[in-house]
Protein backbone atom coordinates (compact mmCIF):
# COMPACT_ATOMS: atom_id res chain seq x y z
CA UNK A 1 0.00 0.00 0.00
CA UNK A 2 1.48 3.32 -1.09
CA UNK A 3 1.41 6.56 0.82
CA UNK A 4 -1.62 7.95 -1.05
CA UNK A 5 -3.71 4.81 -0.43
CA UNK A 6 -2.75 4.84 3.27
CA UNK A 7 -3.84 8.48 3.59
CA UNK A 8 -7.18 7.72 1.93
CA UNK A 9 -7.81 4.75 4.23
CA UNK A 10 -6.98 6.84 7.31
CA UNK A 11 -9.40 9.55 6.15
CA UNK A 12 -12.10 6.92 5.70
CA UNK A 13 -11.45 5.58 9.19
CA UNK A 14 -11.57 9.05 10.74
CA UNK A 15 -14.80 9.89 8.93
CA UNK A 16 -16.31 6.57 9.98
CA UNK A 17 -15.36 7.29 13.57
CA UNK A 18 -16.94 10.71 13.37
CA UNK A 19 -20.16 9.18 12.00
CA UNK A 20 -20.17 6.65 14.83
CA UNK A 21 -19.75 9.43 17.35
CA UNK A 22 -22.53 11.38 15.70
CA UNK A 23 -24.81 8.35 16.00
CA UNK A 24 -23.89 7.80 19.66
CA UNK A 25 -24.11 11.47 20.58
CA UNK A 26 -27.86 11.48 21.39
CA UNK A 27 -27.39 8.38 23.56
CA UNK A 28 -24.54 9.98 25.47
CA UNK A 29 -26.52 13.17 25.89
CA UNK A 30 -29.40 11.15 27.28
CA UNK A 31 -27.10 9.35 29.73
CA UNK A 32 -25.53 12.62 30.78
CA UNK A 33 -28.97 14.12 31.41
CA UNK A 34 -29.97 11.08 33.47
CA UNK A 35 -26.75 11.35 35.47
CA UNK A 36 -27.38 14.97 36.43
CA UNK A 37 -31.02 14.22 37.31
CA UNK A 38 -30.08 11.40 39.67
CA UNK A 39 -27.10 13.30 41.12
CA UNK A 40 -29.01 16.56 41.58
CA UNK A 41 -30.47 15.74 45.05
CA UNK A 42 -26.97 15.16 46.44
CA UNK A 43 -25.54 18.21 44.63
CA UNK A 44 -28.35 20.47 45.86
CA UNK A 45 -28.05 19.06 49.37
CA UNK A 46 -24.28 19.57 49.38
CA UNK A 47 -24.59 23.18 48.20
CA UNK A 48 -27.35 24.06 50.67
CA UNK A 49 -26.22 22.15 53.75
CA UNK A 50 -22.43 21.70 53.38
CA UNK A 51 -20.72 23.77 50.69
CA UNK A 52 -22.75 26.94 51.27
CA UNK A 53 -22.39 26.93 55.08
CA UNK A 54 -18.65 26.24 54.73
CA UNK A 55 -18.17 29.31 52.55
CA UNK A 56 -20.35 31.37 54.90
CA UNK A 57 -18.36 30.20 57.94
CA UNK A 58 -15.11 31.10 56.20
CA UNK A 59 -16.36 34.67 55.78
CA UNK A 60 -17.75 34.78 59.33
CA UNK A 61 -14.40 33.62 60.75
CA UNK A 62 -13.02 37.05 59.81
CA UNK A 63 -15.90 38.89 61.49
CA UNK A 64 -17.41 39.61 64.88
CA UNK A 65 -20.94 38.26 64.67
CA UNK A 66 -23.49 37.63 67.43
CA UNK A 67 -26.51 36.66 65.25
CA UNK A 68 -28.50 39.72 66.31
CA UNK A 69 -26.37 42.45 64.75
CA UNK A 70 -24.69 42.54 61.37
CA UNK A 71 -21.21 40.95 61.07
CA UNK A 72 -18.31 43.35 61.63
CA UNK A 73 -15.10 42.58 59.75
CA UNK A 74 -12.18 42.14 62.17
CA UNK A 75 -9.59 40.46 59.94
CA UNK A 76 -7.47 37.82 61.67
CA UNK A 77 -8.43 38.91 65.19
CA UNK A 78 -10.44 35.73 65.85
CA UNK A 79 -7.52 33.50 64.89
CA UNK A 80 -5.06 35.57 66.92
CA UNK A 81 -7.37 35.41 69.96
CA UNK A 82 -7.69 31.65 69.56
CA UNK A 83 -3.97 31.11 69.92
CA UNK A 84 -4.05 33.21 73.09
CA UNK A 85 -7.01 31.30 74.52
CA UNK A 86 -6.20 28.78 77.29
CA UNK A 87 -9.47 26.91 76.70
CA UNK A 88 -8.56 26.45 73.04
CA UNK A 89 -5.36 24.62 73.97
CA UNK A 90 -7.09 22.70 76.76
CA UNK A 91 -9.88 21.46 74.50
CA UNK A 92 -7.40 20.61 71.75
CA UNK A 93 -5.16 18.64 74.14
CA UNK A 94 -8.16 16.75 75.58
CA UNK A 95 -9.37 15.89 72.07
CA UNK A 96 -5.90 14.82 70.95
CA UNK A 97 -5.60 12.53 73.98
CA UNK A 98 -8.94 10.97 73.08
CA UNK A 99 -7.91 10.51 69.43
CA UNK A 100 -4.61 8.83 70.40
CA UNK A 101 -6.52 6.27 72.49
CA UNK A 102 -9.70 5.88 70.45
CA UNK A 103 -8.29 5.39 66.94
CA UNK A 104 -6.05 2.35 67.68
CA UNK A 105 -8.75 0.89 69.95
CA UNK A 106 -11.41 1.24 67.24
CA UNK A 107 -9.26 -0.16 64.43
CA UNK A 108 -7.88 -3.13 66.35
CA UNK A 109 -11.17 -4.12 67.95
CA UNK A 110 -13.20 -3.80 64.74
CA UNK A 111 -10.58 -5.79 62.78
CA UNK A 112 -10.57 -8.49 65.46
CA UNK A 113 -14.35 -8.75 65.34
CA UNK A 114 -14.30 -8.84 61.54
CA UNK A 115 -11.82 -11.73 61.59
CA UNK A 116 -13.94 -13.63 64.12
CA UNK A 117 -17.14 -12.99 62.15
CA UNK A 118 -15.44 -14.17 58.98
CA UNK A 119 -15.22 -17.73 60.33
CA UNK A 120 -17.63 -20.47 59.30
CA UNK A 121 -19.72 -21.06 62.42
CA UNK A 122 -23.40 -21.63 63.13
CA UNK A 123 -25.54 -18.55 63.70
CA UNK A 124 -23.05 -16.30 61.94
CA UNK A 125 -25.71 -13.94 60.59
CA UNK A 126 -27.13 -13.50 64.09
CA UNK A 127 -23.72 -12.62 65.53
CA UNK A 128 -23.04 -10.15 62.70
CA UNK A 129 -26.38 -8.47 63.31
CA UNK A 130 -25.82 -8.26 67.06
CA UNK A 131 -22.41 -6.63 66.68
CA UNK A 132 -23.52 -4.21 63.95
CA UNK A 133 -26.93 -3.15 65.33
CA UNK A 134 -25.66 -0.80 68.11
CA UNK A 135 -23.85 1.35 65.52
CA UNK A 136 -27.16 2.51 64.01
CA UNK A 137 -28.66 3.52 67.36
CA UNK A 138 -28.80 7.22 68.23
CA UNK A 139 -25.64 8.56 69.83
CA UNK A 140 -27.69 10.17 72.60
CA UNK A 141 -29.31 6.81 73.46
CA UNK A 142 -25.91 5.13 73.55
CA UNK A 143 -24.57 7.89 75.82
CA UNK A 144 -27.46 7.43 78.27
CA UNK A 145 -26.93 3.65 78.20
CA UNK A 146 -23.23 3.98 79.07
CA UNK A 147 -23.93 6.60 81.73
CA UNK A 148 -26.08 3.93 83.42
CA UNK A 149 -23.63 1.07 82.86
CA UNK A 150 -20.70 3.07 84.28
CA UNK A 151 -22.61 4.89 87.01
CA UNK A 152 -20.32 5.03 90.08
CA UNK A 153 -23.17 4.25 92.51
CA UNK A 154 -25.39 1.62 90.89
CA UNK A 155 -23.77 0.93 87.51
CA UNK A 156 -23.75 -2.61 86.16
CA UNK A 157 -19.97 -2.58 85.50
CA UNK A 158 -19.11 -1.43 89.02
CA UNK A 159 -21.41 -4.08 90.49
CA UNK A 160 -19.60 -6.76 88.49
CA UNK A 161 -16.19 -5.44 89.56
CA UNK A 162 -17.26 -5.38 93.20
CA UNK A 163 -19.00 -8.77 93.30
CA UNK A 164 -16.50 -10.73 91.20
CA UNK A 165 -13.17 -9.04 91.90
CA UNK A 166 -13.74 -7.10 95.11
CA UNK A 167 -12.90 -3.80 93.42
CA UNK A 168 -14.54 -0.72 94.88
CA UNK A 169 -16.72 1.36 92.59
CA UNK A 170 -14.81 3.45 90.08
CA UNK A 171 -15.83 6.98 89.13
CA UNK A 172 -15.72 6.38 85.39
CA UNK A 173 -17.10 9.77 84.37
CA UNK A 174 -16.34 11.62 87.60
CA UNK A 175 -12.62 10.80 87.85
CA UNK A 176 -10.39 13.14 85.86
CA UNK A 177 -8.01 10.29 85.01
CA UNK A 178 -10.71 7.84 83.92
CA UNK A 179 -13.10 10.06 81.98
CA UNK A 180 -11.26 9.86 78.62
CA UNK A 181 -10.62 6.07 78.84
CA UNK A 182 -14.32 5.72 79.69
CA UNK A 183 -15.25 7.66 76.56
CA UNK A 184 -12.95 5.39 74.56
CA UNK A 185 -14.60 2.32 76.07
CA UNK A 186 -17.92 3.57 74.73
CA UNK A 187 -16.58 3.02 71.22
CA UNK A 188 -17.40 -0.69 71.66
CA UNK A 189 -20.97 0.08 70.62
CA UNK A 190 -19.99 2.27 67.68
CA UNK A 191 -17.59 0.13 65.66
CA UNK A 192 -20.20 -1.69 63.59
CA UNK A 193 -19.62 0.31 60.42
CA UNK A 194 -15.85 -0.08 60.59
CA UNK A 195 -16.25 -3.79 61.30
CA UNK A 196 -18.49 -4.31 58.25
CA UNK A 197 -15.95 -2.62 55.96
CA UNK A 198 -13.18 -4.86 57.31
CA UNK A 199 -15.44 -7.90 56.94
CA UNK A 200 -16.17 -7.07 53.29
CA UNK A 201 -12.46 -6.73 52.55
CA UNK A 202 -11.65 -10.04 54.25
CA UNK A 203 -14.28 -11.87 52.22
CA UNK A 204 -12.76 -10.63 48.97
CA UNK A 205 -9.25 -11.99 49.63
CA UNK A 206 -7.99 -14.79 47.32
CA UNK A 207 -8.07 -18.24 48.92
CA UNK A 208 -5.19 -19.58 46.84
CA UNK A 209 -2.67 -17.54 48.82
CA UNK A 210 -3.84 -19.10 52.09
CA UNK A 211 -3.78 -22.57 50.53
CA UNK A 212 -0.20 -22.00 49.41
CA UNK A 213 0.70 -20.78 52.91
CA UNK A 214 -0.86 -23.91 54.42
CA UNK A 215 1.28 -26.08 52.15
CA UNK A 216 4.37 -24.17 53.31
CA UNK A 217 3.37 -24.81 56.93
CA UNK A 218 2.51 -21.22 57.89
CA UNK A 219 0.51 -20.80 61.08
CA UNK A 220 -2.57 -18.63 61.64
CA UNK A 221 -0.66 -15.65 63.04
CA UNK A 222 1.91 -15.75 60.25
CA UNK A 223 -0.80 -15.89 57.60
CA UNK A 224 -2.62 -12.99 59.26
CA UNK A 225 0.39 -10.66 59.42
CA UNK A 226 2.05 -11.75 56.15
CA UNK A 227 -1.03 -12.13 53.92
CA UNK A 228 -4.17 -10.64 55.45
CA UNK A 229 -2.78 -7.38 56.82
CA UNK A 230 -0.80 -6.40 53.68
CA UNK A 231 -3.74 -7.19 51.37
CA UNK A 232 -6.26 -5.19 53.40
CA UNK A 233 -3.82 -2.36 54.19
CA UNK A 234 -5.73 0.11 51.92
CA UNK A 235 -8.87 -0.65 53.93
CA UNK A 236 -6.96 -0.20 57.18
CA UNK A 237 -5.77 3.19 55.92
CA UNK A 238 -9.31 4.23 54.96
CA UNK A 239 -10.80 3.17 58.30
CA UNK A 240 -7.96 4.87 60.18
CA UNK A 241 -8.54 8.17 58.41
CA UNK A 242 -12.28 7.95 59.02
CA UNK A 243 -11.65 7.10 62.69
CA UNK A 244 -9.35 10.12 63.06
CA UNK A 245 -11.98 12.42 61.55
CA UNK A 246 -14.84 11.08 63.69
CA UNK A 247 -12.70 11.11 66.87
CA UNK A 248 -11.79 14.77 66.42
CA UNK A 249 -15.51 15.51 66.10
CA UNK A 250 -16.54 13.83 69.37
CA UNK A 251 -19.27 15.82 71.07
CA UNK A 252 -22.39 13.88 72.08
CA UNK A 253 -20.80 11.85 74.88
CA UNK A 254 -19.47 14.92 76.67
CA UNK A 255 -22.63 16.94 76.11
CA UNK A 256 -24.93 14.24 77.48
CA UNK A 257 -22.82 12.75 80.28
CA UNK A 258 -20.09 15.03 81.62
CA UNK A 259 -20.79 18.56 80.35
CA UNK A 260 -17.05 18.94 79.84
CA UNK A 261 -16.05 17.83 83.33
CA UNK A 262 -14.59 16.81 85.59
CA UNK A 263 -12.05 19.65 85.79
CA UNK A 264 -12.40 20.35 82.04
CA UNK A 265 -10.98 16.90 81.25
CA UNK A 266 -13.73 16.04 78.77
CA UNK A 267 -14.07 19.54 77.35
CA UNK A 268 -13.59 18.43 73.76
CA UNK A 269 -12.83 20.81 70.93
CA UNK A 270 -16.25 20.51 69.27
CA UNK A 271 -17.90 20.94 72.66
CA UNK A 272 -15.99 24.20 73.09
CA UNK A 273 -17.00 25.21 69.56
CA UNK A 274 -20.66 24.46 70.35
CA UNK A 275 -20.44 26.38 73.62
CA UNK A 276 -18.90 29.37 71.86
CA UNK A 277 -21.52 29.43 69.13
CA UNK A 278 -24.77 28.59 70.92
CA UNK A 279 -24.13 29.61 74.53
CA UNK A 280 -22.04 32.74 73.98
CA UNK A 281 -23.34 33.50 70.46
CA UNK A 282 -19.85 34.37 69.23
CA UNK A 283 -20.43 33.00 65.76
CA UNK A 284 -17.37 34.61 64.21
CA UNK A 285 -15.08 33.14 66.86
CA UNK A 286 -16.79 29.74 66.54
CA UNK A 287 -16.34 29.83 62.75
CA UNK A 288 -12.62 30.43 63.25
CA UNK A 289 -12.55 27.43 65.59
CA UNK A 290 -14.28 25.32 62.94
CA UNK A 291 -11.73 26.23 60.29
CA UNK A 292 -8.82 25.48 62.61
CA UNK A 293 -10.37 22.04 63.17
CA UNK A 294 -10.75 21.59 59.40
CA UNK A 295 -7.08 22.48 58.86
CA UNK A 296 -5.96 20.03 61.58
CA UNK A 297 -8.02 17.17 60.15
CA UNK A 298 -6.93 17.96 56.59
CA UNK A 299 -3.26 18.06 57.62
CA UNK A 300 -3.53 14.73 59.47
CA UNK A 301 -5.30 13.16 56.49
CA UNK A 302 -2.57 14.30 54.11
CA UNK A 303 0.10 13.11 56.54
CA UNK A 304 -1.58 9.69 56.75
CA UNK A 305 -1.66 9.43 52.96
CA UNK A 306 2.01 10.40 52.68
CA UNK A 307 3.10 7.90 55.33
CA UNK A 308 0.91 5.19 53.76
CA UNK A 309 3.05 5.12 50.61
CA UNK A 310 5.61 3.03 52.50
CA UNK A 311 3.20 0.72 54.27
CA UNK A 312 0.08 0.30 52.12
CA UNK A 313 0.03 -2.45 49.49
CA UNK A 314 -2.03 -1.50 46.41
CA UNK A 315 -0.93 -4.14 43.91
CA UNK A 316 -3.73 -6.58 44.75
CA UNK A 317 -6.45 -3.92 44.64
CA UNK A 318 -5.15 -2.58 41.31
CA UNK A 319 -5.39 -6.06 39.77
CA UNK A 320 -9.01 -6.59 40.74
Amino acid sequence: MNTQQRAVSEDIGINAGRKTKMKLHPERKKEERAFWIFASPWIIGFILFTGGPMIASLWLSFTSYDVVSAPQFVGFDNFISLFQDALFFKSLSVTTYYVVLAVPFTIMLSLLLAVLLNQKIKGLLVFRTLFYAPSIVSGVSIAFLWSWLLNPDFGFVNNILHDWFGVEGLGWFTDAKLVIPSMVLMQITGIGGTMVIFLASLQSLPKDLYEAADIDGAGSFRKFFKITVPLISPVILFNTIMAIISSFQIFTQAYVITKGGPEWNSYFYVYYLFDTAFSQFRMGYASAQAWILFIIIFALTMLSLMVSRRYVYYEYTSRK
Side-chain angles (χ1 to χ4, degrees), residues 195-240:
M195 179 198 69
V196 167
I197 295 173
F198 275 132
L199 183 58
S201 66
L202 291 173
Q203 292 178 339
S204 66
L205 297 180
K207 295 182 180 179
D208 55 341
L209 293 178
Y210 292 94
E211 292 172 355
D214 289 333
I215 294 173
D216 291 338
S220 299
F221 285 97
R222 190 172 182 83
K223 285 188 290 184
F224 178 76
F225 288 105
K226 295 297 183 180
I227 299 177
T228 304
V229 172
L231 291 183
I232 67 170
S233 54
V235 181
I236 295 175
L237 172 64
F238 171 79
N239 280 334
T240 301

Side-chain angles (χ1 to χ4, degrees), residues 7 20 42 51 83 145 164-165 192 197 203 210 216 218 228 236 244 257 290 315:
T20 303
W42 182 89
F83 288 99
L145 172 64
W164 291 9
F165 304 101
I197 295 173
Q203 292 178 339
Y210 292 94
D216 291 338
T228 304
I236 295 175
I244 290 172
I257 302 174
E315 185 176 350

Side-chain angles (χ1 to χ4, degrees), residues 127-139:
F127 286 113
R128 289 177 179 176
T129 303
L130 290 175
F131 281 107
Y132 176 73
S135 65
I136 62 175
V137 179
S138 166

